[in-house]
Amino acid sequence: MGLLIGFLLIASSLLTFVWIDKNNQDYLSQHQALHDRDLSQMHLITEMLSNRLELWFESFFHLHQELTDNPEATGDFISKEFDYLQLNWQVNNLWLFDSQQNIIYANHQQVPAYVKASVAQTLESQSSVTNIHCIQSCFQLISMPMLSANGELLVLTASTSLLEMMAALNRSTLAELALVATAQGVGKSFLRDAQIQAPISYMKRQQLGALLKLIPEDVTLDMVLDKGYRLVMDEQAYLINLLPVDNDFADTAYLLTVHDISDEWARHDNYQLGVITISAITVTLCVLTFFIMAERLRRRLLILARRLPLLAQKKYAQFNDMQFTHSRLFLDEIDEVQRSTNLLGEQLESMDGKIEQNTRELENIAMYDRLTGLPNRNMLNFVLRKKIAALARTPGPLVVILLDFDNFRKINDSYGHGIGDEFLMVAAQRLRSNLRESDVISRFGGDEFVIVLQEVDDVSNAITLAEKLLLKFRESVEIGAQRFYTSVSLGITSCDGQNVTVDDLVRQADIAMYAAKDAGGDKYSVFNESMSTQVMRRIEIEHDVRDALLQEQFKFALQAQIEISTGKLIGFEALIRWLHPKSGYIMPDEFIPIMENSESMITLGYWGIKRAFAILAHLESLGLSGYRIAVNLSASQFLDPNLIQFMREQLAESEQSAAQVELELTERTVVADIEQTLQIMHQLKELGFSFSIDDFGTGYSSLAYLSQLPVDIIKIDRSFIAGMSDNSADKQIVKSTVAMVRKLGMKVVAEGVETAEQLSFLSDMHCDVAQGYYISKPIFEEDLYQVLPSKIDKGIWKNLVSDFR
């Protein structure tokens, strides 16, 4: 209510202010109009008197044409008529000049400079010139051209008093008039210091002077010139205007007009007082009316405000007792609010009973998984907290096993979430049937389950259970007519004291479970602190790899590949290296598996292809042309939809041919999606790129696919090369592989050649290309350009063992 009253006061004050301000503006506009009228009247009367004098002279000389024949006669005639002119026309001085500005007649011999200037202006314009001058006193100076009978131009100049002009202005404006003079310029003079020279009014000089003395000291003449000044004393009000009269000295002499505006001022003051009074009365009446109308509403709202908290406190009896009575004549919205509030109270009282009845059921629902019926994560946290606290009373190992199904997503993706849910229900039953009554099993989320074992003698009991569960889930899971074969990965952790939290145990089991997955799945892993270190290292590398891509910390080390039969250098394999600013060189085996399925791996792969084209271009600029570079393509990059377009762009930007870039694929990449692999490989083959299968024989049995794939080179893994000297089986595998691959029309590259004996064996087997430390260690790109010319002679690799990195 206070805010509304305040708003009403502010609104009424603003309206009153705008109303009064508009009235003041109108009032000031009237005064400005009065000032402008005084000025226009003065100019009009001055011009009228000047025209009247000019007309008299023109009429007189027209009647006496004989006077214009002789200028001297004209001067004598003017001399005789001067008394008449002085008496009847207020002419003070007369001069008659010829066209050379020589005096023909003057009532006195002195010719002021302003007279000469007026005569010169008249001769130049050949028209009348009128000016007002104030020198000791103010007068009007009129110069008129006259044409004599002989054609000579004469100028008659007369000065007349301003008294007649002031008297006429007094009659037309009804203002008190006086000529005033200032000693200084207008910007430096104050109105109260102006000297009154010739008053024409009912006021005497002393009265006008006293009136000017009432004007404040800071009011200057330039403040009054434009709009005038309003002087208010008690019940009297005057509008004082200043009108400049001297054309040459406009800042020293003025015509002062004083208008009595007492009646207008009184009406204006009374009007504003009436506006304020009406506004105050209106606001007072509105406030009173509003207060009277709001009081009843306020009392009822207060009752409602006191009743509603009782609902929150569940004090329904007090709530029902505290009500206001309804008016039979006037029903408003507050009555409707109370009715709705009463209904709400009844509903809440009824619902509270039901809520209390269902609370226990809801608590049970919150603690158990709706799909499997197993305890959920909330119950797991509750159980683990109790068991950790119980370790203080009954020491013994507390074991937590986290179980996750391998490739469970494929079931959801292939058969839908309905089948996936049924699979989880069957799996939950199988888990429960293989546990003791004292063991706790809960569904942790998705396809993850957590098992809590307390009544065990040692962690070995948990390992025995884990092995049992691995065997159980290698058996098929039947859902209707379908059978699903899957496996599980388990992480095991334990504690025997209270210095551990629930989150610590679950996190450790989770880390161990992912270690089992990284090892290929279908395994269990027991947590140890080195796993935490590995996880932290993994997170650190994932974070740093983004900066490494931006700061160009990756480099290529190039390992030479020679043709075994001739010793000729045919190219290099580009091996990625990471020069970390703090950790130094990080090997690919550490960071590639972490990046393998990330966006960063695709970015790094494209960087490698760009770098390969750049290295080939640099070698060619050194005169070393015809070589090729083998670059590895990750599975994520090979299946990237932008790969083909990127390769086209690189060929367009580079002068190197596609045949110089060999794209290495692993067996896993090839067989991951054979149909899409074939499509992409054929598109790249059309562009001119060649393909090689890296680490052949260590992964999938891809021999069945070799006849379908457009592969050019097979690279035998170094593990088979290293075993040739001591293991006849490895030697036979290499020999058979070389023979088979060559029969398919492909070339064979042997990796990891480290001895002369291995190179000799490979030569006997007709292997095409070899690379390894026996030939050359990987050379960093910046060193390659300097070292390479010294290592080849007519294309032949000179040294089989390099002395540099």
Side-chain angles (χ1 to χ4, degrees):
M1 189 165 64
L3 290 174
L4 290 174
I5 292 174
F7 175 77
L8 180 61
L9 289 172
I10 292 172
S12 62
S13 299
L14 288 175
L15 289 174
T16 303
F17 173 77
V18 171
W19 198 352
I20 291 176
D21 183 68
K22 179 62 171 60
N23 182 254
N24 285 332
Q25 294 298 326
D26 294 341
Y27 189 60
L28 293 175
S29 299
Q30 294 176 3
H31 291 172
Q32 181 65 39
L34 191 59
H35 172 275
D36 296 340
R37 190 185 68 182
D38 288 349
L39 185 61
S40 62
Q41 286 290 325
M42 185 190 75
H43 289 316
L44 181 62
I45 292 172
T46 301
E47 185 179 359
M48 182 183 67
L49 293 175
S50 173
N51 291 338
R52 188 183 67 173
L53 187 60
E54 289 181 29
L55 182 61
W56 185 86
F57 277 112
E58 289 177 1
S59 301
F60 180 81
F61 282 107
H62 180 70
L63 295 173
H64 302 81
Q65 285 289 335
E66 69 277 2
L67 295 178
T68 60
D69 296 337
N70 185 357
E72 286 75 10
T74 304
D76 292 340
F77 176 78
I78 291 173
S79 175
K80 294 176 183 178
E81 297 292 330
F82 180 73
D83 292 336
Y84 171 80
L85 294 172
Q86 191 174 29
L87 179 63
N88 292 284
W89 296 92
Q90 287 78 43
V91 175
N92 297 329
N93 297 297
L94 272 174
W95 294 272
L96 182 64
F97 298 89
D98 59 14
S99 58
Q100 279 73 40
Q101 301 186 27
N102 296 318
I103 298 175
I104 300 174
Y105 167 78
N107 66 322
H108 57 78
Q109 293 301 318
Q110 184 179 3
V111 181
Y114 58 83
V115 174
K116 294 180 180 180
S118 179
V119 171
Q121 186 178 359
T122 302
L123 289 172
E124 183 179 354
S125 63
Q126 296 187 6
S127 61
S128 297
V129 176
T130 301
N131 292 298
I132 296 177
H133 299 278
C134 292
I135 302 173
Q136 293 181 349
S137 63
C138 294
F139 55 87
Q140 184 178 16
L141 186 68
I142 304 171
S143 294
M144 299 167 287
M146 295 172 36
L147 189 64
S148 63
N150 59 7
E152 183 179 3
L153 186 65
L154 304 178
V155 178
L156 179 65
T157 302
S159 65
T160 63
S161 173
L162 291 181
L163 293 177
E164 186 175 1
M165 182 271 291
M166 293 173 64
L169 187 60
N170 176 259
R171 289 191 299 272
S172 64
T173 62
L174 301 178
E176 310 290 340
L177 303 176
L179 288 172
V180 297
T182 61
Q184 298 177 335
V186 64
K188 300 178 181 179
S189 296
F190 300 99
L191 182 58
R192 62 181 296 164
D193 298 331
Q195 300 297 320
I196 299 174
Q197 293 185 345
I200 297 182
S201 65
Y202 296 104
M203 290 185 179
K204 296 182 179 179
R205 185 189 300 268
Q206 292 81 1
Q207 291 175 313
L208 283 175
L211 188 65
L212 293 182
K213 293 300 181 184
L214 295 175
I215 297 175
E217 295 182 355
D218 57 347
V219 178
T220 60
L221 268 67
D222 60 349
M223 296 169 61
V224 184
L225 277 173
D226 291 335
K227 298 181 180 179
Y229 178 76
R230 186 172 63 249
L231 178 63
V232 180
M233 333 178 279
D234 298 330
E235 298 181 355
Q236 297 293 318
Y238 299 95
L239 177 62
I240 301 173
N241 293 326
L242 279 180
L243 309 176
V245 297
D246 189 346
N247 291 13
D248 295 330
F249 303 96
D251 58 352
T252 58
Y254 303 92
L255 181 62
L256 178 72
T257 67
V258 180
H259 294 272
D260 188 351
I261 58 171
S262 299
D263 294 339
E264 291 85 349
W265 172 256
R267 286 193 297 271
H268 174 70
D269 198 35
N270 291 334
Y271 178 81
Q272 291 193 348
L273 180 61
V275 169
I276 295 173
T277 302
I278 292 171
S279 178
I281 292 172
T282 302
V283 170
T284 302
L285 291 175
C286 289
V287 169
L288 289 174
T289 303
F290 176 76
F291 183 80
I292 293 170
M293 293 177 63
E295 178 61 19
R296 180 173 176 270
L297 300 175
R298 186 184 67 83
R299 284 188 286 102
R300 291 186 296 159
L301 286 173
L302 284 175
I303 294 174
L304 283 175
R306 294 191 185 103
R307 293 185 72 203
L308 288 174
L310 297 176
L311 290 179
Q313 300 168 15
K314 299 183 179 181
K315 297 179 180 179
Y316 298 109
Q318 297 181 33
F319 172 82
N320 292 327
D321 293 339
M322 190 183 295
Q323 296 189 46
F324 57 80
T325 57
H326 293 284
S327 173
R328 296 183 178 181
L329 297 177
F330 301 101
L331 292 176
D332 54 19
E333 290 80 359
I334 298 180
D335 294 313
E336 184 64 25
V337 170
Q338 177 167 266
R339 190 189 68 81
S340 300
T341 304
N342 292 337
L343 182 59
L344 176 63
E346 294 174 3
Q347 294 292 329
L348 288 176
E349 188 173 4
S350 174
M351 288 176 59
D352 275 344
K354 295 180 181 179
I355 289 173
E356 290 176 2
Q357 181 180 354
N358 296 331
T359 297
R360 296 182 184 86
E361 297 178 13
L362 292 175
E363 289 176 352
N364 290 335
I365 293 174
M367 302 300 281
Y368 290 87
D369 179 53
R370 297 180 62 184
L371 178 65
T372 62
L374 296 176
N376 60 14
R377 184 179 299 194
N378 295 331
M379 178 62 84
L380 173 68
N381 291 337
F382 175 73
V383 170
L384 281 176
R385 281 196 297 269
K386 284 183 62 178
K387 289 188 176 295
I388 291 172
L391 291 177
R393 300 187 302 272
T394 56
L398 174 63
V399 179
V400 175
I401 303 175
L402 195 149
L403 178 147
D404 183 87
F405 288 91
D406 300 325
N407 301 318
F408 174 73
R409 182 180 297 177
K410 288 185 177 179
I411 297 176
N412 275 337
D413 293 344
S414 302
Y415 297 93
H417 289 277
I419 297 295
D421 289 344
E422 292 186 36
F423 176 90
L424 291 174
M425 288 189 288
V426 174
Q429 293 174 1
R430 185 175 293 185
L431 282 171
R432 191 164 10 194
S433 64
N434 285 277
L435 297 178
R436 301 171 301 175
E437 289 293 332
S438 59
D439 298 334
V440 177
I441 179 172
S442 70
R443 185 186 178 196
F444 194 68
D447 61 329
E448 292 182 336
F449 295 84
V450 174
I451 303 169
V452 181
L453 309 176
Q454 187 171 19
E455 298 177 6
V456 291
D457 299 328
D458 193 73
V459 179
S460 59
N461 299 120
I463 294 175
T464 302
L465 176 61
E467 291 174 344
K468 179 181 178 182
L469 293 176
L470 287 173
L471 291 174
K472 287 293 181 181
F473 281 101
R474 286 171 187 162
E475 300 173 3
S476 64
V477 176
E478 295 184 4
I479 301 174
Q482 294 177 319
R483 288 187 177 186
F484 295 93
Y485 291 90
T486 183
S487 60
V488 294
S489 297
L490 299 101
I492 305 173
T493 188
S494 64
C495 71
D496 54 7
Q498 292 181 287
N499 57 344
V500 69
T501 66
V502 173
D503 290 340
D504 290 337
L505 283 174
V506 175
R507 178 180 58 82
Q508 292 171 6
D510 189 60
I511 291 173
M513 184 270 293
Y514 273 104
K517 279 190 176 292
D518 290 341
D522 194 19
K523 293 180 177 64
Y524 69 86
S525 178
V526 181
F527 174 80
N528 57 63
E529 289 300 327
S530 64
M531 290 182 180
S532 291
T533 304
Q534 292 172 4
V535 170
M536 295 304 296
R537 178 61 173 163
R538 183 186 187 98
I539 295 172
E540 181 182 352
I541 288 178
E542 287 177 348
H543 178 270
D544 290 350
V545 76
R546 300 185 185 95
D547 295 334
L549 288 168
L550 294 175
Q551 298 171 9
E552 299 183 356
Q553 296 174 8
F554 291 102
K555 296 179 179 296
F556 266 153
L558 299 137
Q559 189 169 37
Q561 295 178 333
I562 65 166
E563 191 174 51
I564 296 176
S565 60
T566 62
K568 181 180 178 182
L569 176 67
I570 62 171
F572 306 89
E573 180 180 5
L575 305 173
I576 192 72
R577 296 292 185 267
W578 180 4
L579 180 57
H580 194 280
K582 294 181 180 179
S583 305
Y585 280 105
I586 302 176
M587 298 306 291
D589 292 344
E590 185 173 0
F591 66 84
I592 290 296
I594 296 174
M595 297 175 59
E596 192 167 12
N597 295 316
S598 67
E599 188 70 25
S600 299
M601 192 64 197
I602 297 176
T603 305
L604 181 61
Y606 286 144
W607 171 87
I609 293 172
K610 283 185 177 181
R611 197 71 227 137
F613 276 103
I615 293 170
L616 289 169
H618 197 148
L619 289 173
E620 190 166 331
S621 68
L622 297 175
L624 303 170
S625 59
Y627 298 115
R628 73 165 184 262
I629 292 181
V631 183
N632 185 268
L633 281 184
S634 67
S636 56
Q637 183 185 6
F638 184 72
L639 298 176
D640 182 43
N642 299 318
L643 176 64
I644 305 300
Q645 181 60 31
F646 176 81
M647 290 300 199
R648 289 195 181 102
E649 292 173 356
Q650 296 308 305
L651 290 176
E653 295 174 4
S654 175
E655 297 180 359
Q656 313 309 312
S657 68
Q660 292 181 269
V661 178
E662 175 188 319
L663 303 177
E664 288 189 2
L665 303 175
T666 63
E667 292 183 62
R668 178 175 296 185
T669 301
V670 170
V671 300
D673 188 340
I674 190 64
E675 293 183 3
Q676 187 174 1
T677 298
L678 282 170
Q679 181 182 359
I680 296 173
M681 290 182 72
H682 282 300
Q683 292 182 36
L684 291 172
K685 197 73 176 175
E686 290 176 1
L687 295 176
F689 292 99
S690 60
F691 288 97
S692 63
I693 302 297
D694 195 16
D695 299 335
F696 184 80
T698 61
Y700 298 88
S701 298
S702 57
L703 293 176
Y705 299 118
L706 287 181
S707 59
Q708 303 178 45
L709 299 174
V711 177
D712 304 280
I713 299 169
I714 297 296
K715 303 186 75 172
I716 301 177
D717 186 70
R718 65 181 65 248
S719 61
F720 296 107
I721 303 300
M724 284 195 307
S725 301
D726 304 323
N727 191 327
S728 59
D730 285 347
K731 186 175 181 180
Q732 188 60 39
I733 289 173
V734 173
K735 183 176 181 181
S736 301
T737 302
V738 171
M740 178 197 66
V741 172
R742 288 175 60 84
K743 189 172 292 186
L744 290 174
M746 305 175 193
K747 290 188 176 182
V748 184
V749 176
E751 296 182 306
V753 178
E754 298 185 356
T755 65
E757 183 182 14
Q758 293 170 355
L759 186 62
S760 177
F761 284 154
L762 293 169
S763 178
D764 294 341
M765 296 174 186
H766 302 289
C767 182
D768 299 292
V769 179
Q771 69 179 78
Y773 275 30
Y774 182 72
I775 300 164
S776 172
K777 293 182 179 180
I779 308 170
F780 282 116
E781 178 188 344
E782 56 267 24
D783 299 327
L784 180 69
Y785 305 127
Q786 301 176 3
V787 173
L788 188 58
S790 65
K791 290 296 179 182
I792 54 176
D793 182 14
K794 297 180 181 180
I796 306 299
W797 192 260
K798 294 194 297 185
N799 299 321
L800 292 180
V801 180
S802 59
D803 300 324
F804 49 84
R805 289 183 178 272

